[in-house]
Amino acid sequence: MIRSADAVWQGQLQDGKGQMKAQSGAFDVPFSFGTRFGDVPGTNPEELIGAAHAGCFSMQFSALAGRAGFTPERVATTAKVHVERVGEGFGITRIELHLQAHIPGIDQATFEKLAQEAKVSCPVSKALAAVPEIRLEAKLV
């Protein structure tokens, strides 16, 4: 299985513009210096990394809960990707995963154990191992 996306950038860093597109056609979006490092509305690579991480984590958590005998009714994850100046450039310095799940019959200790296991075992978490810190806040609702 191979998944791909394309990006094209035109111009200089601060006044140029780019376009990112998924192989599947699920998105074809513009991006710019302002959408990435400023407050200009629009997307950026880090936002897409956050969406990928939240989606992967949610699916992994659901799979682990199912293997443990539970049926999740709802698993919602927000990933906050922190981009900060690092040396002469920028880097992703932290990702915060915020999980809220409704799973009938699960106890708090099992819920937290499964959430921690999902954090380290989802493929996107593994791919992001170079990020200095990935935090998890899990709330059973």
Side-chain angles (χ1 to χ4, degrees):
M1 174 172 30
I2 298 173
R3 305 291 186 230
S4 70
D6 300 312
V8 174
W9 186 262
Q10 297 173 313
Q12 296 289 327
L13 175 63
Q14 292 192 358
D15 62 354
K17 60 183 179 176
Q19 194 76 21
M20 293 181 287
K21 164 169 92 166
Q23 167 193 14
S24 66
F27 65 84
D28 186 349
V29 293
F31 69 113
S32 67
F33 185 87
T35 65
R36 190 167 188 199
F37 298 110
D39 294 327
V40 175
T43 194
N44 56 70
E46 291 76 18
E47 183 179 68
L48 297 175
I49 287 171
H53 202 180
C56 183
F57 173 84
S58 293
M59 290 178 75
Q60 183 71 3
F61 177 81
S62 181
L64 294 172
R67 281 188 222 141
F70 301 98
T71 302
E73 288 186 6
R74 184 169 192 272
V75 177
T77 306
T78 299
K80 295 182 178 183
V81 179
H82 293 252
V83 179
E84 298 174 320
R85 185 166 287 284
V86 177
E88 294 295 315
F90 288 87
I92 296 174
T93 58
R94 182 171 74 243
I95 298 174
E96 298 173 17
L97 295 172
H98 297 270
L99 165 67
Q100 286 195 0
H102 178 55
I103 306 169
I106 197 169
D107 61 89
Q108 187 68 35
T110 302
F111 171 72
E112 289 176 12
K113 177 182 174 277
L114 294 174
Q116 289 296 330
E117 189 177 336
K119 177 185 138 190
V120 297
S121 65
C122 95
V124 173
S125 286
K126 290 178 184 179
L128 294 171
V131 174
E133 181 179 16
I134 298 177
R135 295 181 184 174
L136 172 64
E137 176 186 293
K139 182 177 180 183
L140 185 59
V141 292

